[in-house]
Amino acid sequence: MPPTTSKHVSFLAVIFWLLLLCGAWYAMPESLFRYDQWLYNRLGHMLCPWKVTDFPQLLRPQEPVAMEPVMSQTRLLECPTVGMVELNEEACAAAFAALPLGPQDTAVLLNKLKQGGAVTVGLSSPLIWPGEHGDMVREMLCRVLAGFPHSAVGLRGRTAAQPDFTPAMLRHASIPQENVEGDPNGLPIANRPLPNGLTETPDALAVVWAPDWLEGEPHTQNPSAVDSISFPLLMRWNGETIPTLPFRLALARLGLDGKDVKVKLGKEISYGGITLPIDDNGRTRLNDARVMPIALTDVVAGCKLEEKLGKNPIVMLEQPAEKQNTPLRLERLARTLSQLAGAEIIITHTSERPRGGQVLRQIPLLQGWRNQLIAGVGLLFFLWVMPFVPALLRWLVLLAMPGFVVWQAAEMVQQGLWFTAVPLLVWWLVLALVFCMHRTYDKGLFGKRR
């Protein structure tokens, strides 16, 4: 009969390896701490919505969070309050003795606004006055308008079968064609100005004009059914893209002109560092606009506009056409002007955040002497029994553990926790080396007779 061999485990060898593994376990966490930081940093950026610059702060139990100052900026569009003065029949009857208003009355009214402190004034009016008025009266109105730091008058127009040349007063304010992208077919269009009593006056050349009310173009006549949609910012006049009355005033107030505007129709419009979304009709959202109605009687009485509107007051006036009363259109003009004349301000905030941006709290392994004692006994049993386990099964167990440790680390980082994963992986590698080196029984590790 073939000789039999018996497996015999050396107790002293088991104790030696047990002490070696325990010493390695207690020595590694501190020396491998930075590798734990690297592992959790990679896992956090892969599995969590961390910022690119974030780095985890691995904290032990009861360890305070280290803080760092953070500077943040908030960009706001600060819009001025625009005063609204309605020049309808009812308001004019309460402020003036005779109706309808003539160019001299309009000049007096504008002069009252100037005396009240108005800096920016827009006038939307048909500019048609019944009866005969001398050139001197119309020239006086033009001079008053030109006396404001920023002013503009709406030029009404229509689309005719036989177009006129684009008025010179509009052409020099147009936006260069290379600054306009997209399909312009959605913009209001005109090719001939409607006649009025002011454009033929020589002094009218000193007045700033802008497209306003267009015949047959509902976007320019009626306010949008959606309350937050602006008056069109742009119009097409004989194929040229021209800023409308509120936009022309806003550009002048900001020290800009048509060359400073870039347009992507249906997407956005940019000017002076400000970018606003626009639709196919050249309209934008009125998210920050502020307006205030001002009674015509208060203007005539000489009210101080700075007390109502703040510094450098802006006023929009509208005189409806005969038998029309469109206060909502005036409000839309004024709100559009307020939104477009807004200046972007940057507010800097100082706050504190955890250093690195992310904090992970440690879940200690083997906390307390009881758990450590249980783990030591378990390891002793493991070292004693494993030599009797078939080699294939033994190595399957050893190779599966690293994957389990990494999976657990990934689960922990998503919960804001961590444990000593890298030391555990290295310790497990040491354990595998132990089983490669140590021979404790009659047969070798892979069954070869000694």
Side-chain angles (χ1 to χ4, degrees):
M1 294 181 63
T4 60
T5 59
S6 63
K7 293 182 179 180
H8 175 71
V9 177
S10 169
F11 180 73
L12 291 177
V14 170
I15 294 297
F16 170 78
W17 294 118
L18 173 66
L19 294 176
L20 176 65
L21 289 169
C22 289
W25 173 252
Y26 284 105
M28 284 188 295
E30 288 299 328
S31 59
L32 298 177
F33 180 73
R34 62 192 180 108
Y35 297 102
D36 264 327
Q37 286 187 316
W38 177 87
L39 174 65
Y40 284 102
N41 182 48
R42 296 302 299 269
L43 291 175
H45 282 97
M46 287 191 300
L47 304 174
C48 303
W50 288 5
K51 297 180 181 178
V52 177
T53 56
D54 283 354
F55 191 82
Q57 189 178 154
L58 306 186
L59 299 182
R60 296 176 176 83
Q62 310 304 321
E63 185 178 356
V65 179
M67 307 297 289
E68 63 181 359
V70 177
M71 303 289 289
S72 60
Q73 292 183 336
T74 302
R75 294 179 178 270
L76 299 176
L77 190 65
E78 187 176 52
C79 296
T81 301
V82 175
M84 303 182 297
V85 180
E86 179 71 25
L87 304 180
N88 56 26
E89 292 183 7
E90 181 182 352
C92 291
F96 290 89
L99 294 179
L101 296 184
Q104 183 174 356
D105 299 315
T106 306
V108 170
L109 174 60
L110 291 171
N111 195 54
K112 285 287 186 180
L113 288 174
K114 186 176 181 181
Q115 293 173 0
V119 172
T120 304
V121 172
L123 175 61
S124 175
S125 169
L127 299 176
I128 296 176
W129 303 288
E132 290 294 329
H133 298 279
D135 290 343
M136 184 177 296
V137 174
R138 292 193 293 269
E139 290 172 4
M140 179 177 65
L141 175 56
C142 293
R143 290 194 187 99
V144 172
L145 282 166
F148 287 96
H150 313 111
S151 66
V153 180
L155 181 65
R156 300 191 168 202
R158 66 188 180 96
T159 301
Q162 295 295 325
D164 285 348
F165 290 108
T166 304
M169 59 190 68
L170 297 183
R171 194 183 311 120
H172 73 272
S174 65
I175 300 171
Q177 189 61 40
E178 59 270 20
N179 289 4
V180 181
E181 299 179 16
D183 184 3
N185 291 327
L187 298 179
I189 58 173
N191 59 18
R192 177 177 290 183
L194 292 175
N196 64 62
L198 202 60
T199 51
E200 300 303 322
T201 305
D203 283 356
L205 296 175
V207 175
V208 176
W209 297 83
D212 181 17
W213 187 96
L214 297 185
E215 187 177 80
E217 288 284 0
H219 290 313
T220 68
Q221 299 177 19
N222 306 309
S224 170
V226 181
D227 184 61
S228 61
I229 297 296
S230 74
F231 188 83
L233 312 187
L234 307 167
M235 290 184 186
R236 295 285 286 180
W237 199 296
N238 279 336
E240 296 185 69
T241 305
I242 301 173
T244 58
L245 177 60
F247 192 24
R248 181 77 188 276
L249 270 174
L251 290 174
R253 185 176 173 91
L254 297 173
L256 307 172
D257 58 26
K259 297 188 294 296
D260 301 306
V261 180
K262 294 188 177 181
V263 184
K264 295 181 180 179
L265 292 169
K267 296 181 179 179
E268 64 184 27
I269 185 167
S270 302
Y271 59 98
I274 298 172
T275 300
L276 298 174
I278 58 170
D279 62 13
D280 293 332
N281 305 124
R283 301 174 301 176
T284 189
R285 290 280 181 181
L286 300 175
N287 299 321
D288 308 294
R290 297 185 296 174
V291 296
M292 176 182 292
I294 300 177
L296 182 56
T297 52
D298 291 344
V299 176
V300 174
C303 68
K304 297 300 181 183
L305 295 174
E306 284 196 354
E307 297 176 1
K308 294 177 176 289
L309 306 177
K311 189 177 180 180
N312 298 325
I314 308 175
V315 179
M316 177 67 74
L317 304 95
E318 188 202 25
Q319 183 180 17
E322 187 177 359
K323 297 181 180 180
Q324 291 183 357
N325 189 6
T326 55
L328 291 180
R329 181 177 184 273
L330 170 60
E331 181 181 346
R332 194 55 51 92
L333 285 168
R335 292 183 64 197
T336 303
L337 174 55
S338 174
Q339 181 77 38
L340 299 178
E344 191 176 59
I345 60 173
I346 301 176
I347 301 176
T348 302
H349 307 275
T350 302
S351 59
E352 285 192 336
R353 70 163 190 171
R355 189 177 61 208
Q358 300 295 332
V359 173
L360 302 181
R361 285 284 180 184
Q362 184 184 23
I363 295 182
L365 300 179
L366 306 179
Q367 189 175 23
W369 66 270
R370 290 186 179 180
N371 291 332
Q372 295 173 7
L373 180 61
I374 293 172
V377 172
L379 180 59
L380 177 63
F381 180 76
F382 184 82
L383 291 171
W384 188 274
V385 171
M386 283 301 285
F388 299 98
V389 176
L392 179 62
L393 180 59
R394 183 163 64 244
W395 286 103
L396 285 176
V397 172
L398 290 172
L399 294 175
M401 286 307 296
F404 176 77
V405 171
V406 174
W407 175 70
Q408 282 295 311
E411 290 289 318
M412 290 294 179
V413 76
Q414 296 179 74
Q415 303 174 39
L417 304 171
W418 74 286
F419 66 94
T420 50
V422 173
L424 187 57
L425 290 172
V426 175
W427 183 85
W428 205 261
L429 176 62
V430 173
L431 181 62
L433 292 175
V434 166
F435 278 99
C436 288
M437 295 172 60
H438 122 91
R439 301 171 181 271
T440 58
Y441 46 86
D442 294 338
K443 289 188 176 181
L445 190 60
F446 295 99
K448 295 181 181 179
R449 188 181 300 276
R450 289 190 295 180

